[in-house]
Amino acid sequence: MVGNLFKCTCQFAQEGVFLCYSGPTSHEILVSTGNTLKQFLKNNNVCKKKYYCIFSIYVEMFENIIRYGVDCFPSGANETCQRYPYGILSASTDGEKITIQSGNIIALEQGNKLNQYLNTIHSMNPQAIRDFYREKRKNKCAPDCKGAGLGLIEIVRKSSQPIKYSFKNIDETFLFYTLTAVI
Amino acid sequence: MNNLEIPKTKTSPEIKFNISTHELSIKGESFPENTSEFYAPVFEWLEEYLASVTDQTIIVNIELMYFNSSSSKVLMDLFDMLEESVKEGKNITVHWRYDEENEMAVEYGEDFMEDIVSLPFHLVKI
């Protein structure tokens, strides 16, 4: 186990990962790791525009996991128990750009819908994504939507390159979904 | 009716609505755990307040360095509500206060301004 962690740490160091969280997600962890991210950006004199774009992408990715991720740590049979969906998030830098990545487990049918949606929004140009954001904000949310339904659009809008995403089958029911944004 | 004062937290802005100066302000960062739950008392308060005023000049100062997408939706609802009141003859002006270095804050302010027709909405550099 120690060998594995050392291997992970070395790999992170090589890839410029300065923050990584893996485990059950909650709003509290979003706030504390988000503050660590902000502190790192401040210490490295990242300009205000980039600072808020990076933080915003981190928050939206984290909130998406909290809302839509599959709970891999069921705390009991009681349905009223707090959910803690599993997620992994990382922030890395090559010295110039910052990359934020998220990975989590979702149900197969969720993945199909998500994939189609991401295909339509991922390469929209800045004006198109801005217009789409405003259009969606005016409309009522879809019934299966747990937030404002704007999170992914916000991520595309604040990224400085098209976002990347992948879906890997875990078994017949679940997928591992990753999202990468570069600022 | 009392003033509305909600102190700022790590994830929610300071909210101060004053019934004697008719100045309403939302200042800070907004990404509360449950956005609609957090803003519900604000909308409740506003509804009562707007019903009580006549032709007083109301200034709404919004100074948000950061807000998440759920808060963005809530802000739109807030501006829709204020816009309705303007149509009914109330005198309301929104000041979207932004830091010049934070270009996104300007862009988001411009978006709101374009989406609102009857509510006076000004971008104000801090």
Side-chain angles (χ1 to χ4, degrees):
Chain A
M1 188 59 196
V2 173
N4 280 341
L5 287 181
F6 181 59
K7 233 165 84 181
C8 287
T9 308
C10 292
Q11 205 184 333
F12 282 158
Q14 273 174 4
E15 291 167 9
V17 175
F18 58 88
L19 184 150
C20 182
Y21 174 78
S22 166
T25 54
S26 67
H27 187 72
E28 278 163 45
I29 296 165
L30 156 61
V31 175
S32 58
T33 56
N35 276 335
T36 308
L37 172 65
K38 274 178 164 175
Q39 201 53 53
F40 177 90
L41 300 174
K42 265 189 198 145
N43 294 346
N44 286 277
N45 301 318
V46 171
C47 72
K48 260 193 192 156
K49 182 194 174 187
K50 264 179 111 179
Y51 174 90
Y52 284 113
C53 285
I54 295 161
F55 183 64
S56 168
I57 288 173
Y58 188 78
V59 171
E60 299 298 335
M61 281 188 184
F62 215 116
E63 287 184 332
N64 277 346
I65 298 177
I66 297 172
R67 291 194 182 112
Y68 304 108
V70 171
D71 194 344
C72 300
F73 310 95
S75 44
N78 189 344
E79 287 206 352
T80 57
C81 275
Q82 168 91 37
R83 287 174 69 251
Y84 290 104
Y86 167 75
I88 178 162
L89 290 109
S90 76
S92 57
T93 182
D94 60 0
E96 267 181 59
K97 294 186 282 298
I98 303 269
T99 301
I100 307 285
Q101 275 189 292
S102 73
N104 64 292
I105 297 163
I106 56 171
L108 206 62
E109 65 268 25
Q110 259 178 305
N112 293 335
K113 269 178 85 174
L114 194 57
N115 198 5
Q116 281 177 18
Y117 184 59
L118 286 165
N119 285 342
T120 57
I121 64 166
H122 87 284
S123 56
M124 280 187 183
N125 67 43
Q127 191 55 51
I129 199 76
R130 194 171 169 179
D131 293 342
F132 187 56
Y133 180 98
R134 287 171 54 195
E135 186 193 317
K136 283 277 274 195
R137 186 167 61 189
K138 275 189 222 158
N139 298 340
K140 284 255 178 302
C141 300
D144 57 350
C145 174
K146 294 176 188 165
L150 293 171
L152 289 169
I153 308 174
E154 189 91 74
I155 292 168
V156 172
R157 190 168 168 183
K158 294 205 165 124
S159 301
S160 48
Q161 302 177 3
I163 54 164
K164 293 197 181 90
Y165 46 96
S166 73
F167 298 90
K168 196 174 166 63
N169 278 73
I170 297 171
D171 55 26
E172 283 148 19
T173 328
F174 296 112
L175 291 169
F176 190 72
Y177 156 55
T178 68
L179 190 59
T180 306
V182 179
I183 311 103
Chain B
M1 150 163 230
N2 293 321
N3 291 339
L4 178 72
E5 286 196 23
I6 303 175
K8 98 176 212 188
T9 71
K10 274 182 191 167
T11 61
S12 60
E14 174 191 71
I15 298 179
K16 278 188 177 171
F17 288 4
N18 190 311
I19 51 165
S20 24
T21 59
H22 300 287
E23 223 180 76
L24 318 182
S25 83
I26 302 181
K27 190 176 173 180
E29 297 188 351
S30 179
F31 56 113
E33 179 164 14
N34 188 328
T35 316
S36 40
E37 205 176 282
F38 174 78
Y39 283 99
V42 178
F43 281 90
E44 255 170 57
W45 187 96
L46 256 181
E47 205 168 320
E48 197 187 332
Y49 169 74
L50 291 170
S52 73
V53 291
T54 47
D55 58 351
Q56 297 91 332
T57 306
I58 302 163
I59 302 287
V60 182
N61 285 312
I62 311 272
E63 191 178 325
L64 289 169
M65 279 96 69
Y66 168 69
F67 52 93
N68 67 355
S69 58
S70 319
S71 304
S72 173
K73 186 102 180 167
V74 168
L75 284 171
M76 196 69 233
D77 293 342
L78 170 74
F79 296 141
D80 282 342
M81 186 182 191
L82 297 175
E83 190 167 38
E84 281 308 306
S85 294
V86 169
K87 283 182 193 158
E88 288 162 12
K90 313 274 158 132
N91 183 358
I92 309 170
T93 301
V94 174
H95 289 167
W96 180 267
R97 294 163 55 81
Y98 68 92
D99 175 348
E100 205 179 4
E101 286 175 48
N102 186 1
E103 285 167 55
M104 287 316 274
V106 189
E107 196 176 300
Y108 280 74
E110 286 169 356
D111 278 3
F112 279 121
M113 199 159 76
E114 280 180 46
D115 285 333
I116 294 159
V117 190
S118 334
L119 174 68
F121 194 99
H122 303 291
L123 302 181
V124 181
K125 195 159 73 177
I126 310 171

